[in-house]
Amino acid sequence: MSLDAATIRRIARLARLGVGEAEIERLQTELGHIIGWVEQLGELDLDGVEPIAGVGHAALRLRADEVTDGDRVEAVLSNAPGRAGPFYAVPKVVE
Amino acid sequence: MSDMVELTGQSLAAALDGLEKGRFSSVELTRAHLDAVEALNPTLNAYITVTAEQALTQAAEADAVRARGEAGLLCGAPVAIKDLFCTEGVRTTAASRILSNFVPPYESTVTAQMKRDGAVSLGKTNLDEFAMGSSNMTSAFGAVQNPWRRRGDDSPLVPGGSSGGSASAVAARIALAATGTDTGGSIRQPASFCGIAGIKPTYGRCSRWGTVAFASSLDQAGPLARTVEDCAILLRSMAGFDPKDSTSVDVAVPDFRAAVGRSVKGMRIGIPAEYRAPGMPEEIERWWQQGIAWLRDAGCEIVDVSLPHTRYGLATYYIVAPAECSSNLARYDGVRFGERVEADSLDALYERSRAAGFGDEVKRRILIGTYVLSSGYYDAYYLKAQKVRSLILRDFTEAFGRVDALLTPTAPSAAFGLGEKMSDPVTMYLNDIFTVPASMAGVPGMSVPVGLDSAGLPLGLQLIGRPFDEETLFALGSALEKAAGFDHLPALRAGAVA
């Protein structure tokens, strides 16, 4: 199985992952092979089976609605590749 | 030199005992390990970052604490930390270019607890990038070597993955023990490849807070060590409820060490018929049968069981794990932390930063995950995998109605050569065929070294237990360990002539 080039470009765009034209053909084969392999799940009759997102040993907890952390601007920004004052800096988004 | 061998060659339990009895100080013990790291790490590449100065400071503090009679569980013991646990002020890379300069301003819960208990950190160990791999070949910081060699053959072998640096370091005696994480086998498979013990505890046993996330419904931290008892000591420190992780389970942490050596008489051990892989070496089957015989001799009752959906575990995993990965790794966008490649627009900045920062395997998993979650494909892949996961969990629940634990091989092969199995991703994925099902079900699994194959490489057996019943695994693991008497040493190790 091979995924078509348009599909590779579409999912790369959705993932915001730059993929060069030279890589497309290799990814069509590699990803196609993986997808073809996982399609073995089609052999199973899954009618009436409940899906699970996890094993759910923990019951979701509630806590008091209060501030427990904050006022750590320098720590939060300490790894920012670009900053302007107490803000992250990014290329201009709004004209 | 013999002093150094004595210091680095002992178990964590023996080292803690020696510290308590004043036979040596933590500074001496730590320095012996740092010397061994310096000698061996250039070859093994097990550590990405060595924190020698900090380790000696921590060791001196530990000696002072012990002198005051306030020694914690791990006081003064030099250990290694997988470079997936955030460590305050110490670079944490996840073996990825995108985090190559990331210095966390906070400490993960697991490592904070180890610090609380007095552990000395020698440094951060190598891994597959973002813990995605079974060979440690996908690290942006280079491959790790397994300290073992095939008999009469000096070609380097992989340590397994993703906790390959931790496993290699512990096997080579350049750490007393190490932390790992396991999403689909990343503690158990490298433990088996390197001839050491390792346990992935029950999902929810160790906090995930501050551990770089790969697949959040599967990721679980655990110890790698040279003995089952050492794993028990380290797990006790790592485990425990944490309000900062919504999937952390609020149950008491037992004294796992007390379960080591406990009688296994009368325990019912399930042997699942499905744990046989195509092309699996006959030797693995033979060691499995040997393990069954040992447990029978120890008084266990051996029961044939079936986990019929085992064969679908891997395919299910390679939908669920990439889906969660694609979501978790969305945060690496070149804006808040990590490497950035400048661009004119925000989208181009994201795309170029991520293209430059991630390696091939991580990109494949992000793309597969995005595909199976995308509109029009969600039901056919992700929803279907969630249903199969339900069936896999049910297999285990039903089996544990009849038996106390399961015994299987850990991996379908011994360690393979550096660079092998790289031509096709699916071939690499097959390494995790026996470890993934327990991950999907969230149940604990332990690998124990039992013997060597004909090439002289270690092989492990896996014990799988009921949720939150790691104690049964420690009892059975120590029974296997005692029967096997595994005392073989890797070619490369502290104090051995290289």
Side-chain angles (χ1 to χ4, degrees):
Chain A
M1 178 175 174
S2 174
L3 294 176
D4 61 45
T7 301
I8 301 292
R9 288 193 192 94
R10 184 176 62 85
I11 56 176
R13 170 72 187 146
L14 286 172
R16 298 295 187 274
L17 190 61
V19 171
E21 281 305 306
E23 295 171 84
I24 300 262
E25 204 170 320
R26 178 174 56 84
L27 286 169
Q28 282 181 262
T29 311
E30 282 177 0
L31 302 188
H33 186 184
I34 297 168
I35 293 293
W37 173 69
V38 300
E39 279 183 355
Q40 61 180 283
L41 299 188
E43 295 167 14
L44 289 164
D45 178 5
L46 299 169
D47 276 359
V49 177
E50 278 297 309
I52 55 170
V55 291
H57 294 311
L60 288 176
R61 302 178 297 273
L62 296 175
R63 66 168 177 86
D65 182 14
E66 57 194 24
V67 176
T68 57
D69 200 358
D71 288 333
R72 293 204 276 165
V73 173
E74 285 311 312
V76 169
L77 285 170
S78 61
N79 284 283
R83 64 179 286 184
F87 303 105
Y88 294 111
V90 296
K92 200 169 182 181
V93 179
V94 182
E95 287 302 326
Chain B
M1 193 55 114
S2 63
D3 285 353
M4 187 183 109
V5 173
E6 191 193 324
L7 289 172
T8 55
Q10 62 191 334
S11 66
L12 171 63
L16 288 166
D17 187 54
L19 288 166
E20 181 59 25
K21 293 195 168 121
R23 290 183 50 231
F24 44 81
S25 68
S26 174
V27 169
E28 289 169 314
L29 184 63
T30 300
R31 190 162 280 142
H33 280 88
L34 288 170
D35 288 347
V37 170
E38 200 177 302
L40 284 169
N41 201 51
T43 305
L44 296 174
N45 199 27
Y47 287 85
I48 291 175
T49 304
V50 179
T51 51
E53 205 172 305
Q54 181 192 289
L56 288 169
T57 306
Q58 288 176 343
E61 278 167 24
D63 284 332
V65 166
R66 190 175 288 279
R68 290 201 301 271
E70 294 165 6
L73 191 60
L74 298 173
C75 186
V79 297
I81 307 294
K82 186 178 185 178
D83 205 15
L84 200 64
F85 293 87
C86 284
T87 42
E88 187 174 357
V90 175
R91 182 176 72 143
T92 299
T93 69
S96 180
R97 269 190 302 280
I98 210 158
L99 286 178
S100 54
N101 291 309
F102 177 63
V103 179
Y106 59 91
E107 187 81 19
S108 81
T109 297
V110 163
T111 50
Q113 290 177 177
M114 290 168 60
K115 272 188 171 176
R116 171 202 68 199
D117 292 337
V120 171
S121 172
L122 296 164
K124 308 293 293 288
T125 52
N126 211 335
L127 63 149
D128 281 294
E129 185 179 6
F130 282 105
M132 297 174 198
S134 309
S135 66
N136 220 120
M137 293 295 294
T138 73
S139 168
F141 294 82
V144 173
Q145 283 193 19
N146 192 321
W148 291 81
R149 294 286 183 267
R150 291 188 186 108
R151 209 172 281 128
D153 177 356
D154 199 38
S155 47
L157 307 172
V158 302
S162 67
S163 309
S166 290
S168 174
V170 172
R173 276 86 180 143
I174 57 174
L176 283 176
T179 67
T181 63
D182 189 314
T183 302
S186 284
I187 288 174
R188 294 161 284 163
Q189 183 254 19
S192 179
F193 276 22
C194 292
I196 60 172
I199 179 169
K200 177 199 88 75
T202 311
Y203 182 81
R205 180 66 96 176
C206 291
S207 170
R208 293 181 300 106
W209 194 83
T211 309
V212 175
F214 159 19
S216 301
S217 79
L218 299 158
D219 297 344
Q220 189 54 208
L224 294 114
R226 292 192 292 269
T227 70
V228 171
E229 182 180 33
D230 288 357
C231 285
I233 295 169
L234 187 49
L235 180 59
R236 178 137 192 224
S237 179
M238 296 171 69
F241 173 62
D242 179 11
K244 290 187 287 200
D245 172 4
S246 67
T247 59
S248 169
V249 179
D250 193 1
V251 292
V253 179
D255 179 3
F256 298 118
R257 194 175 182 179
V260 173
R262 188 180 284 172
S263 168
V264 297
K265 207 168 162 63
M267 280 189 190
R268 294 169 60 89
I269 308 302
I271 308 302
E274 292 82 3
Y275 279 61
R276 288 183 172 87
M280 181 169 97
E282 183 276 331
E283 291 169 296
I284 292 179
E285 174 76 31
R286 200 159 48 75
W287 279 112
W288 190 14
Q289 294 306 321
Q290 179 63 66
I292 293 168
W294 283 330
L295 290 184
R296 189 184 284 118
D297 290 347
C300 295
E301 184 185 341
I302 305 300
V303 182
D304 287 327
V305 296
S306 172
L307 286 86
H309 299 93
T310 299
R311 59 179 294 215
Y312 299 104
L314 264 188
T316 307
Y317 177 85
Y318 277 98
I319 294 173
V320 169
E324 297 186 23
C325 139
S326 73
S327 172
N328 269 324
L329 271 58
R331 76 191 68 185
Y332 304 104
D333 56 6
V335 173
R336 289 159 300 160
F337 40 74
E339 294 297 295
R340 165 187 286 197
V341 179
E342 296 295 346
D344 292 340
S345 73
L346 188 58
D347 271 342
L349 182 149
Y350 294 152
E351 290 183 351
R352 292 172 63 178
S353 297
R354 291 161 64 78
F358 293 136
D360 285 344
E361 179 61 20
V362 171
K363 286 179 186 173
R364 273 195 288 274
R365 296 204 195 187
I366 290 173
L367 292 170
I368 289 286
T370 305
Y371 181 73
V372 300
L373 290 173
S374 67
S375 172
Y377 297 93
Y378 182 93
D379 286 4
Y381 295 104
Y382 187 61
L383 188 66
K384 188 174 282 177
Q386 287 188 308
K387 289 181 179 178
V388 183
R389 186 172 185 183
S390 214
L391 297 177
I392 292 167
L393 175 59
R394 190 199 293 166
D395 282 354
F396 279 101
T397 307
E398 285 176 1
F400 286 129
R402 299 178 53 212
V403 299
D404 299 301
L406 303 166
L407 180 70
T408 77
T410 302
S413 75
F416 46 88
L418 230 53
E420 281 174 31
K421 308 197 186 199
M422 295 296 283
S423 56
D424 163 37
V426 173
T427 306
M428 186 64 79
Y429 298 170
L430 292 172
N431 267 287
D432 297 330
I433 192 161
F434 299 145
T435 46
V436 149
S439 298
M440 299 302 295
V443 294
M446 171 189 284
S447 182
V448 180
V450 292
L452 302 181
D453 70 4
S454 58
L457 295 180
L459 294 170
L461 290 179
Q462 176 179 228
L463 289 156
I464 303 173
R466 295 190 179 102
F468 297 102
D469 189 17
E470 290 87 355
E471 288 167 281
T472 291
L473 298 189
F474 282 113
L476 288 165
S478 59
L480 277 183
E481 185 179 53
K482 191 175 163 204
F486 185 94
D487 57 2
H488 309 283
L489 295 169
L492 300 180
R493 60 184 192 276
V497 180

